[in-house]
């Protein structure tokens, strides 16, 4: 009897210890139900780099509404690097008090009052790429702080991460965000180094596939120890990745350079249309307060955005290249398709496209465009005009670096 009592005592201590241990089990899976279509918003980095403050962010939020971008679907106002001040004696992070004197909660409240969402930036390492405090060792504290501020989106960078493993580091911040309890879109920004497309879908909602974008159409900028890439270089680097993306988990070829003064009008159109075709997050990177009409027209083209936001969530695939004109196809929900002819050469190119030659098969997913038996109307998404049907050969001229973007609408 005595032995029996001792045995029961030992078992009950073990069980209570075990269940107490269970309270500390973490959830390493991202929040479900977010970013079911590619996230749309704005980010401060491409235009403003470290020069961010609360006045700018409020004015950009105002401009997102007044320019029509909010109506077109843009939601997130994302503050990138350099908002940080110091950690306090308990390790809690605070914003730079000179640049953000009203604090982040007040800024998030302002952004939310406009019907928009607030994004912030941190880094898995000891310091951000801009040398501000990183989240390494403070993941749970930072996630609690962001939740208290009302943050809806976190871009989490990969500078100064010596000795860390990417998948584990991103799982740690996911667990921290989970524990803090406020649903947050997690943008994994480790530049494609450790194949985030393989482990990212369970951990975050989007992952950068490359190094940083550089504001040119077709060039590479060599900074010595690292490189940044033009629009077409980044597009080429997406090869083989489309099979990893879908609703809630997107390849991220980096933020837009539209309206930042280096691309021609044709290049802006090609950049935007191709990001729409490959179901990329549409995160504008320009000064929304001073956009010209052309930039607004590109960024708010609802027919092009509809290609990007299509609920099927399948990226376009490259089908052919001829005379430097690439032809890309994107299957859409309900049986429509989008097709893009992007002219990468410096000369205008004539195209002739015979729809009836062969069916178009998606190489990664189960979609087929039975164009020989089914007829479609063609809608030019930049002009908004109907331009014939697939019954006849499509003939067109695409200017240098421009794009012909059509929606194939079922008859
Ligand atoms: C890295 C990221 C950029 C930007 C900067 C900020 O380079 O890839 O998108 O966030 O850091 O320092």
């Amino acid at each position: 009897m005595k032995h029996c009592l001792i045995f029961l005592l030992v078992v009950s201590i073990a069980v209570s210890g075990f269940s107490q241990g269970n309270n500390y089990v973490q959830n390493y899976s991202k929040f479900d139900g977010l970013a079911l279509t590619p996230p749309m918003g704005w980010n401060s980095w491409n235009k403003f780099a470290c020069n961010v403050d609360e006045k700018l962010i409020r004015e950009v939020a105002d401009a997102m509404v007044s320019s029509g971008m909010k109506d077109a679907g843009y939601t997130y106002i994302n503050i990138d690097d350099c908002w940080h001040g110091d950690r306090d004696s308990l390790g809690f992070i605070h914003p730079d008090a000179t640049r953000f004197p009203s604090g982040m909660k007040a800024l998030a409240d302002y952004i939310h009052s406009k019907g928009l969402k607030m994004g912030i930036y941190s880094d898995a390492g000891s310091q951000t790429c801009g040398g501000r405090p990183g989240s390494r060792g403070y993941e749970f504290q930072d996630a609690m702080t962001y939740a208290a501020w009302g943050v809806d989106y976190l871009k989490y960078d990969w500078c100064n991460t010596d000795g860390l493993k990417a998948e584990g580091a991103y799982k740690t911040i996911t667990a921290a965000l989970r524990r803090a309890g406020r649903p947050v879109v997690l943008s994994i920004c480790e530049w494609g180094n450790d194949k985030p497309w393989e482990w990212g879908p369970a951990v975050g909602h989007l992952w950068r596939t490359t190094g940083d974008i550089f504001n040119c159409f077709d060039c590479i900028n060599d900074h010595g120890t690292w490189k940044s890439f033009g629009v077409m270089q980044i597009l080429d680097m997406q090869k083989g990745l489309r099979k990893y993306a879908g609703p809630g988990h997107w390849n991220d070829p980096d933020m837009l350079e539209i309206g930042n003064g280096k691309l021609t009008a044709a290049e802006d159109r090609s950049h935007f249309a191709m990001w729409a075709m490959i179901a990329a997050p549409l995160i504008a990177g320009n000064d929304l307060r001073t956009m010209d009409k052309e930039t607004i027209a590109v960024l708010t083209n609802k027919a092009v955005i509809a290609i990007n936001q299509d609920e099927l969530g399948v990226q376009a695939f490259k089908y052919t290249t001829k005379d430097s004109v690439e032809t890309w196809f994107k299957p859409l929900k309900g049986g429509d398709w989008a097709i893009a002819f992007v002219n990468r050469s410096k000369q205008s190119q004539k195209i002739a496209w015979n729809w009836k030659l062969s069916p178009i098969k998606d190489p990664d997913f189960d979609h087929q465009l039975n164009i020989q038996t089914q007829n479609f109307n063609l809608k030019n998404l930049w002009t908004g005009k109907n331009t014939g049907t697939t019954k006849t050969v499509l003939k067109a001229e695409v200017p240098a670096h421009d794009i012909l973007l059509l929606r194939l609408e079922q008859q």
Side-chain angles (χ1 to χ4, degrees), residues 217-218 232 235-236 270 274 317-329 339-353 394-406:
F217 190 68
D218 194 0
M232 288 295 115
L235 185 61
D236 290 340
S270 292
M274 284 316 301
F317 54 91
K318 184 159 57 173
Y319 186 64
T320 54
T321 307
K322 186 169 179 274
D323 301 330
S324 300
V325 177
E326 293 181 355
T327 306
W328 292 70
F329 282 88
I339 178 169
F341 299 89
V342 58
N343 178 5
R344 296 179 63 155
S345 77
K346 290 185 177 153
Q347 289 86 39
S348 192
Q349 300 286 358
K350 290 201 167 98
I351 56 165
W353 190 266
L394 170 75
K395 291 195 172 154
E397 185 157 355
V398 187
H401 290 183
D402 213 334
I403 191 162
L404 175 63
L405 181 65
L406 302 172

Side-chain angles (χ1 to χ4, degrees), residues 171-219:
K171 276 188 165 162
T172 303
I173 195 66
T174 290
L177 293 168
R178 277 280 191 180
R179 178 108 334 211
R182 182 179 173 89
V184 169
V185 169
L186 179 63
S187 159
I188 297 170
C189 179
E190 60 80 82
W191 318 306
N193 290 358
D194 212 13
K195 298 192 178 159
W197 40 87
E198 286 182 352
W199 47 265
V203 182
H205 301 89
L206 59 157
W207 52 85
R208 282 273 297 279
T209 53
T210 69
D212 289 3
I213 195 165
F214 184 67
N215 189 8
C216 72
F217 190 68
D218 194 0
C219 77

Side-chain angles (χ1 to χ4, degrees), residues 29 46 60 77 81 91 99 108 119 121 155 159 167-168 185 187 191 203 231 244 251 253 257-258 260 272 343 349:
S29 308
N46 282 358
V60 166
I77 299 284
D81 206 348
R99 290 177 175 274
Y121 163 101
K155 174 174 167 183
C159 279
E167 183 176 355
V185 169
S187 159
W191 318 306
V203 182
V231 172
Y244 296 102
N251 287 309
E257 289 286 9
I258 292 154
N260 275 339
F272 195 66
N343 178 5
Q349 300 286 358

